[in-house]
Amino acid sequence: MRNTAKITTAVLAAGALTLGLTACGSDKDAVTDTSGPLVVAASPVPHAEILNFVKDNLAEKAGLDLEVKEFTDYVTPNTATEDGSVGANYFQTQPYLDDFNKKNGTHIVSVVDVHLEPLGLYSHKVKKADELKSGATIAIPNDTVNEGRALQLLAAGGLITLKDGVGTSATPADITENPKKLTFKELEAAQTPRSLDDVDAAVVNGNYAIEADLKPAQDALVLEEAKDNPNSNLLAVKEGQENDPRVKKLAKLLTSPEVKKFIEDKYAGSVLASF
């Protein structure tokens, strides 16, 4: 039986966000008690599903007591890791983590890359990207890194041109050519799939696409390439906890042949192992 607690943003906002950013500084190298279960914060799909596969099939044999907590936003998993409410998290990419640490003064570090969720452009109104009409509205994530990834995706699809070198810090202000005169609606990443009936197309993160019953490998009008992609999703901990034996066990299990096969079988190309 899965020991999974679903935690919503609304419930956690008053607690974790208040406490999360106060626990940085002198205690960042504190040693955590490693005698209890390793509690890992994760997005529901595919992160919690992958963790629950580990919990149900691999953890006991490896001597790992694993508890999975699901979070529906991209902020609380890091603040909860920073304040010690959880021992690790699994939901984000390195560029997002670097940006989060810089903006919030947190001390979260990567342990191991696990998988890639290709970002995709989806639409309920057209079947091909070049069918988008002049003045079409595109929903894109509003956090710095995912917005930059979204614009890079649109550029790769030939819909816009961006200034050279802007990378994942790109914003609509960095667009140099926009032949279709596209307009952009900036939304929280979790809201982008829900906007598909209200906009002409939306750029959706892989985990939210899967939750919305979209099949990235089949349904995306434009899809991120996996080769040389820096946006693998990773297991992360607060700085100083990298050598926690429970974390090391989990890192090894998450990059095992069994997990790779699970990812391949369950997600059929919509999630790609990074190891």
Side-chain angles (χ1 to χ4, degrees), residues 56-201:
D56 294 343
N57 297 277
L58 306 174
E60 184 176 0
K61 184 176 180 179
L64 175 64
D65 187 359
L66 180 62
E67 181 179 339
V68 184
K69 287 190 175 181
E70 295 184 14
F71 292 78
T72 59
D73 71 299
Y74 282 173
V75 175
T76 317
N78 274 335
T79 56
T81 302
E82 180 76 11
D83 71 21
S85 300
V86 300
N89 68 56
Y90 174 34
F91 78 100
Q92 65 192 321
T93 67
Q94 189 67 56
Y96 180 86
L97 174 57
D98 292 341
D99 182 70
F100 190 95
N101 280 333
K102 181 179 179 180
K103 289 181 175 177
N104 296 283
T106 46
H107 309 85
I108 315 300
V109 296
S110 171
V111 177
V112 68
D113 289 344
V114 182
H115 75 266
L116 173 71
E117 300 163 19
L119 205 69
L121 176 68
Y122 301 88
S123 177
H124 286 171
K125 299 178 181 178
V126 299
K127 298 295 184 182
K128 297 179 181 179
D130 60 11
E131 294 175 357
L132 288 167
K133 295 179 180 180
S134 179
T137 299
I138 312 295
I140 58 176
N142 65 1
D143 64 272
T144 302
V145 170
N146 283 306
E147 180 174 69
R149 281 180 72 189
L151 293 172
Q152 292 288 352
L153 176 71
L154 297 177
L159 293 169
I160 60 172
T161 302
L162 294 169
K163 293 177 184 176
D164 291 339
V166 290
T168 55
S169 64
T171 71
D174 295 309
I175 296 173
T176 57
E177 295 181 27
N178 184 1
K180 286 183 177 288
K181 297 180 173 58
L182 302 175
T183 60
F184 300 96
K185 186 174 184 178
E186 296 169 300
L187 300 172
E188 183 184 352
Q191 301 297 323
T192 54
R194 302 172 199 170
S195 74
L196 281 168
D197 289 331
D198 303 316
V199 297
D200 296 291

Side-chain angles (χ1 to χ4, degrees), residues 1-4 37-38 48-61 64-69 250 253-254 259:
M1 182 176 178
R2 292 180 177 177
N3 185 13
T4 303
L38 177 63
E49 292 179 342
I50 295 170
L51 286 169
N52 278 315
F53 171 80
V54 170
K55 176 181 172 62
D56 294 343
N57 297 277
L58 306 174
E60 184 176 0
K61 184 176 180 179
L64 175 64
D65 187 359
L66 180 62
E67 181 179 339
V68 184
K69 287 190 175 181
L250 180 57
L253 294 176
L254 281 172
V259 167

Side-chain angles (χ1 to χ4, degrees), residues 246-259:
R246 302 169 302 172
V247 171
K248 288 187 170 183
K249 287 178 181 178
L250 180 57
K252 185 175 181 179
L253 294 176
L254 281 172
T255 53
S256 66
E258 293 89 345
V259 167

